[in-house]
Short mmCIF file of all heavy atoms in Angstrom, two decimals:
data_model
loop_
_atom_site.label_atom_id
_atom_site.label_comp_id
_atom_site.label_asym_id
_atom_site.label_seq_id
_atom_site.Cartn_x
_atom_site.Cartn_y
_atom_site.Cartn_z
N ASP U 222 -17.64 47.80 36.43
CA ASP U 222 -16.78 48.45 37.43
C ASP U 222 -17.62 48.76 38.67
O ASP U 222 -17.83 49.91 39.04
CB ASP U 222 -16.14 49.71 36.86
CG ASP U 222 -17.17 50.69 36.31
OD1 ASP U 222 -18.33 50.28 36.11
OD2 ASP U 222 -16.81 51.86 36.08
N ALA U 223 -18.10 47.69 39.29
CA ALA U 223 -18.93 47.81 40.49
C ALA U 223 -18.62 46.65 41.42
O ALA U 223 -18.11 45.61 40.98
CB ALA U 223 -20.42 47.81 40.12
N LEU U 224 -18.91 46.81 42.69
CA LEU U 224 -18.69 45.76 43.67
C LEU U 224 -19.83 44.76 43.58
O LEU U 224 -20.99 45.10 43.84
CB LEU U 224 -18.60 46.36 45.08
CG LEU U 224 -18.32 45.37 46.21
CD1 LEU U 224 -16.95 44.69 46.01
CD2 LEU U 224 -18.37 46.07 47.57
N LEU U 225 -19.51 43.54 43.17
CA LEU U 225 -20.53 42.52 42.94
C LEU U 225 -20.48 41.44 44.01
O LEU U 225 -19.41 41.13 44.54
CB LEU U 225 -20.35 41.89 41.55
CG LEU U 225 -20.32 42.84 40.35
CD1 LEU U 225 -20.09 42.05 39.07
CD2 LEU U 225 -21.61 43.65 40.27
N GLN U 226 -21.64 40.85 44.28
CA GLN U 226 -21.71 39.75 45.21
C GLN U 226 -22.56 38.63 44.61
O GLN U 226 -23.40 38.87 43.73
CB GLN U 226 -22.31 40.19 46.55
CG GLN U 226 -23.69 40.83 46.43
CD GLN U 226 -24.22 41.29 47.77
OE1 GLN U 226 -24.43 40.48 48.67
NE2 GLN U 226 -24.44 42.60 47.91
N ARG U 227 -22.34 37.43 45.08
CA ARG U 227 -23.05 36.26 44.56
C ARG U 227 -24.51 36.32 44.97
O ARG U 227 -24.85 36.69 46.11
CB ARG U 227 -22.39 34.99 45.09
CG ARG U 227 -23.05 33.69 44.64
CD ARG U 227 -22.72 33.39 43.21
NE ARG U 227 -23.34 32.12 42.80
CZ ARG U 227 -22.72 30.94 42.86
NH1 ARG U 227 -21.47 30.88 43.33
NH2 ARG U 227 -23.31 29.85 42.47
N PHE U 228 -25.38 35.92 44.04
CA PHE U 228 -26.82 35.87 44.31
C PHE U 228 -27.36 34.54 43.81
O PHE U 228 -27.01 34.08 42.73
CB PHE U 228 -27.55 37.03 43.61
CG PHE U 228 -29.05 36.94 43.73
CD1 PHE U 228 -29.68 37.36 44.89
CD2 PHE U 228 -29.81 36.43 42.69
CE1 PHE U 228 -31.06 37.28 45.00
CE2 PHE U 228 -31.19 36.34 42.81
CZ PHE U 228 -31.81 36.77 43.96
N GLU U 229 -28.23 33.92 44.61
CA GLU U 229 -28.85 32.65 44.22
C GLU U 229 -30.36 32.78 44.31
O GLU U 229 -30.90 33.44 45.20
CB GLU U 229 -28.36 31.52 45.12
CG GLU U 229 -26.88 31.20 44.95
CD GLU U 229 -26.44 30.00 45.75
OE1 GLU U 229 -27.26 29.50 46.56
OE2 GLU U 229 -25.29 29.55 45.57
N THR U 230 -31.01 32.11 43.36
CA THR U 230 -32.48 32.17 43.31
C THR U 230 -33.13 31.08 44.14
O THR U 230 -34.33 31.14 44.41
CB THR U 230 -32.95 32.03 41.86
OG1 THR U 230 -32.59 30.72 41.36
CG2 THR U 230 -32.33 33.10 40.97
N GLY U 231 -32.34 30.04 44.53
CA GLY U 231 -32.92 28.93 45.26
C GLY U 231 -33.68 27.97 44.38
O GLY U 231 -34.50 27.17 44.86
N THR U 232 -33.43 28.02 43.06
CA THR U 232 -34.11 27.14 42.11
C THR U 232 -33.08 26.37 41.29
O THR U 232 -31.87 26.53 41.47
CB THR U 232 -35.02 27.94 41.16
OG1 THR U 232 -34.19 28.77 40.32
CG2 THR U 232 -35.99 28.82 41.95
N GLU U 233 -33.55 25.56 40.36
CA GLU U 233 -32.68 24.81 39.46
C GLU U 233 -31.81 25.74 38.61
O GLU U 233 -30.75 25.35 38.12
CB GLU U 233 -33.54 23.93 38.55
CG GLU U 233 -32.80 23.08 37.55
CD GLU U 233 -31.99 21.97 38.20
OE1 GLU U 233 -32.18 21.72 39.40
OE2 GLU U 233 -31.15 21.37 37.50
N PHE U 234 -32.24 26.98 38.49
CA PHE U 234 -31.49 27.97 37.71
C PHE U 234 -30.06 28.13 38.24
O PHE U 234 -29.12 28.37 37.46
CB PHE U 234 -32.22 29.31 37.78
CG PHE U 234 -31.60 30.41 36.97
CD1 PHE U 234 -31.83 30.53 35.62
CD2 PHE U 234 -30.76 31.35 37.58
CE1 PHE U 234 -31.25 31.55 34.86
CE2 PHE U 234 -30.18 32.36 36.85
CZ PHE U 234 -30.43 32.47 35.49
N ASP U 235 -29.86 27.97 39.54
CA ASP U 235 -28.54 28.16 40.14
C ASP U 235 -27.55 27.09 39.70
O ASP U 235 -26.33 27.29 39.82
CB ASP U 235 -28.65 28.15 41.67
CG ASP U 235 -29.52 29.28 42.19
OD1 ASP U 235 -29.58 30.33 41.52
OD2 ASP U 235 -30.16 29.11 43.25
N ARG U 236 -28.03 25.95 39.22
CA ARG U 236 -27.13 24.91 38.73
C ARG U 236 -26.58 25.25 37.35
O ARG U 236 -25.51 24.79 36.97
CB ARG U 236 -27.86 23.56 38.68
CG ARG U 236 -26.97 22.38 38.28
CD ARG U 236 -27.67 21.07 38.57
NE ARG U 236 -28.73 20.79 37.64
CZ ARG U 236 -28.63 19.96 36.59
NH1 ARG U 236 -27.49 19.35 36.36
NH2 ARG U 236 -29.64 19.75 35.81
N LEU U 237 -27.33 26.06 36.59
CA LEU U 237 -26.95 26.37 35.22
C LEU U 237 -26.21 27.69 35.09
O LEU U 237 -25.40 27.86 34.17
CB LEU U 237 -28.20 26.41 34.32
CG LEU U 237 -29.08 25.15 34.31
CD1 LEU U 237 -30.26 25.36 33.38
CD2 LEU U 237 -28.28 23.94 33.93
N PHE U 238 -26.48 28.63 35.99
CA PHE U 238 -25.91 29.97 35.86
C PHE U 238 -25.40 30.47 37.21
O PHE U 238 -25.98 30.16 38.25
CB PHE U 238 -26.94 30.98 35.32
CG PHE U 238 -27.41 30.70 33.93
CD1 PHE U 238 -28.51 29.90 33.69
CD2 PHE U 238 -26.74 31.24 32.84
CE1 PHE U 238 -28.94 29.63 32.40
CE2 PHE U 238 -27.16 30.98 31.55
CZ PHE U 238 -28.26 30.17 31.33
N THR U 239 -24.33 31.25 37.15
CA THR U 239 -23.82 31.97 38.30
C THR U 239 -24.22 33.43 38.15
O THR U 239 -23.94 34.05 37.11
CB THR U 239 -22.30 31.86 38.41
OG1 THR U 239 -21.93 30.49 38.59
CG2 THR U 239 -21.78 32.67 39.58
N VAL U 240 -24.87 34.00 39.17
CA VAL U 240 -25.35 35.37 39.13
C VAL U 240 -24.58 36.19 40.17
O VAL U 240 -24.50 35.79 41.34
CB VAL U 240 -26.86 35.45 39.41
CG1 VAL U 240 -27.33 36.91 39.36
CG2 VAL U 240 -27.63 34.62 38.40
N THR U 241 -24.00 37.30 39.72
CA THR U 241 -23.39 38.26 40.63
C THR U 241 -24.06 39.61 40.41
O THR U 241 -24.44 39.96 39.28
CB THR U 241 -21.88 38.38 40.39
OG1 THR U 241 -21.64 38.68 39.01
CG2 THR U 241 -21.17 37.08 40.75
N THR U 242 -24.21 40.39 41.47
CA THR U 242 -24.96 41.63 41.37
C THR U 242 -24.48 42.64 42.41
O THR U 242 -23.91 42.27 43.45
CB THR U 242 -26.47 41.37 41.57
OG1 THR U 242 -27.18 42.61 41.48
CG2 THR U 242 -26.74 40.73 42.92
N SER U 243 -24.72 43.90 42.10
CA SER U 243 -24.45 44.97 43.08
C SER U 243 -25.66 45.23 43.96
O SER U 243 -25.56 45.95 44.95
CB SER U 243 -24.07 46.26 42.34
OG SER U 243 -25.15 46.71 41.52
N ASP U 244 -26.81 44.64 43.62
CA ASP U 244 -28.05 44.85 44.37
C ASP U 244 -28.87 43.56 44.36
O ASP U 244 -29.60 43.30 43.39
CB ASP U 244 -28.84 46.00 43.74
CG ASP U 244 -30.07 46.40 44.54
OD1 ASP U 244 -30.52 45.58 45.38
OD2 ASP U 244 -30.58 47.51 44.34
N PRO U 245 -28.78 42.74 45.40
CA PRO U 245 -29.51 41.47 45.42
C PRO U 245 -31.03 41.64 45.26
O PRO U 245 -31.68 40.79 44.65
CB PRO U 245 -29.16 40.89 46.80
CG PRO U 245 -27.85 41.51 47.14
CD PRO U 245 -27.90 42.88 46.57
N GLU U 246 -31.57 42.73 45.79
CA GLU U 246 -33.02 42.92 45.67
C GLU U 246 -33.42 43.14 44.21
O GLU U 246 -34.44 42.62 43.75
CB GLU U 246 -33.45 44.11 46.52
CG GLU U 246 -34.96 44.27 46.63
CD GLU U 246 -35.63 43.03 47.23
OE1 GLU U 246 -35.05 42.39 48.13
OE2 GLU U 246 -36.74 42.69 46.77
N PHE U 247 -32.61 43.90 43.48
CA PHE U 247 -32.91 44.09 42.06
C PHE U 247 -32.76 42.78 41.29
O PHE U 247 -33.56 42.47 40.41
CB PHE U 247 -31.98 45.14 41.45
CG PHE U 247 -32.09 45.24 39.95
CD1 PHE U 247 -33.20 45.84 39.36
CD2 PHE U 247 -31.11 44.72 39.12
CE1 PHE U 247 -33.32 45.92 37.98
CE2 PHE U 247 -31.22 44.78 37.74
CZ PHE U 247 -32.33 45.38 37.17
N ALA U 248 -31.72 41.99 41.62
CA ALA U 248 -31.53 40.71 40.96
C ALA U 248 -32.73 39.80 41.19
O ALA U 248 -33.15 39.08 40.29
CB ALA U 248 -30.25 40.05 41.46
N ARG U 249 -33.28 39.83 42.40
CA ARG U 249 -34.46 39.01 42.70
C ARG U 249 -35.65 39.46 41.86
O ARG U 249 -36.42 38.64 41.35
CB ARG U 249 -34.77 39.11 44.19
CG ARG U 249 -35.92 38.21 44.64
CD ARG U 249 -36.11 38.25 46.14
NE ARG U 249 -34.96 37.64 46.82
CZ ARG U 249 -34.02 38.31 47.47
NH1 ARG U 249 -34.08 39.64 47.53
NH2 ARG U 249 -33.02 37.68 48.05
N THR U 250 -35.79 40.77 41.70
CA THR U 250 -36.89 41.30 40.88
C THR U 250 -36.67 40.99 39.39
O THR U 250 -37.62 40.70 38.67
CB THR U 250 -37.00 42.82 41.07
OG1 THR U 250 -37.18 43.11 42.46
CG2 THR U 250 -38.15 43.39 40.27
N LEU U 251 -35.40 41.05 38.98
CA LEU U 251 -35.09 40.81 37.56
C LEU U 251 -35.33 39.36 37.16
O LEU U 251 -35.93 39.10 36.11
CB LEU U 251 -33.62 41.18 37.31
CG LEU U 251 -33.05 40.80 35.94
CD1 LEU U 251 -33.65 41.67 34.85
CD2 LEU U 251 -31.53 40.91 35.94
N LEU U 252 -34.88 38.43 37.99
CA LEU U 252 -34.89 37.01 37.61
C LEU U 252 -36.24 36.38 37.95
O LEU U 252 -36.36 35.50 38.81
CB LEU U 252 -33.76 36.28 38.30
CG LEU U 252 -32.34 36.72 37.87
CD1 LEU U 252 -31.28 36.07 38.73
CD2 LEU U 252 -32.12 36.39 36.40
N THR U 253 -37.25 36.83 37.24
CA THR U 253 -38.58 36.23 37.39
C THR U 253 -38.57 34.84 36.76
O THR U 253 -37.62 34.43 36.10
CB THR U 253 -39.63 37.10 36.70
OG1 THR U 253 -39.30 37.19 35.30
CG2 THR U 253 -39.66 38.50 37.30
N SER U 254 -39.65 34.11 36.98
CA SER U 254 -39.73 32.76 36.40
C SER U 254 -39.64 32.81 34.88
O SER U 254 -39.04 31.94 34.25
CB SER U 254 -41.03 32.09 36.84
OG SER U 254 -42.16 32.85 36.41
N ALA U 255 -40.23 33.84 34.27
CA ALA U 255 -40.18 33.96 32.80
C ALA U 255 -38.75 34.19 32.32
O ALA U 255 -38.31 33.60 31.32
CB ALA U 255 -41.09 35.09 32.33
N VAL U 256 -37.99 35.05 33.02
CA VAL U 256 -36.61 35.32 32.63
C VAL U 256 -35.75 34.08 32.84
O VAL U 256 -34.93 33.73 31.98
CB VAL U 256 -36.05 36.52 33.43
CG1 VAL U 256 -34.55 36.67 33.20
CG2 VAL U 256 -36.77 37.81 33.04
N ARG U 257 -35.93 33.39 33.97
CA ARG U 257 -35.14 32.18 34.22
C ARG U 257 -35.43 31.11 33.18
O ARG U 257 -34.54 30.40 32.71
CB ARG U 257 -35.43 31.63 35.62
CG ARG U 257 -35.04 32.57 36.74
CD ARG U 257 -34.92 31.83 38.06
NE ARG U 257 -36.10 31.07 38.41
CZ ARG U 257 -37.13 31.54 39.11
NH1 ARG U 257 -37.12 32.80 39.53
NH2 ARG U 257 -38.15 30.77 39.40
N GLU U 258 -36.68 31.00 32.80
CA GLU U 258 -37.04 29.98 31.80
C GLU U 258 -36.47 30.33 30.44
O GLU U 258 -36.02 29.44 29.69
CB GLU U 258 -38.56 29.84 31.72
CG GLU U 258 -39.01 28.60 30.98
CD GLU U 258 -40.44 28.23 31.26
OE1 GLU U 258 -41.06 28.85 32.14
OE2 GLU U 258 -40.95 27.31 30.59
N LEU U 259 -36.44 31.62 30.08
CA LEU U 259 -35.85 32.03 28.81
C LEU U 259 -34.35 31.73 28.80
O LEU U 259 -33.83 31.14 27.85
CB LEU U 259 -36.08 33.52 28.59
CG LEU U 259 -35.31 34.16 27.42
CD1 LEU U 259 -35.78 33.57 26.10
CD2 LEU U 259 -35.46 35.68 27.44
N LEU U 260 -33.64 32.14 29.85
CA LEU U 260 -32.19 31.95 29.89
C LEU U 260 -31.82 30.47 29.91
O LEU U 260 -30.86 30.05 29.26
CB LEU U 260 -31.61 32.63 31.13
CG LEU U 260 -31.72 34.17 31.18
CD1 LEU U 260 -31.23 34.70 32.52
CD2 LEU U 260 -30.95 34.80 30.04
#
Side-chain angles (χ1 to χ4, degrees):
D222 55 345
L224 182 62
L225 305 178
Q226 57 182 298
R227 179 74 179 268
F228 174 80
E229 293 185 352
T230 64
T232 67
E233 180 68 12
F234 183 82
D235 299 331
R236 185 167 73 101
L237 304 180
F238 295 90
T239 297
V240 180
T241 54
T242 179
S243 62
D244 186 341
E246 189 58 36
F247 171 73
R249 184 175 292 106
T250 303
L251 171 71
L252 295 173
T253 61
S254 60
V256 171
R257 297 198 306 270
E258 194 162 353
L259 170 65
L260 295 175

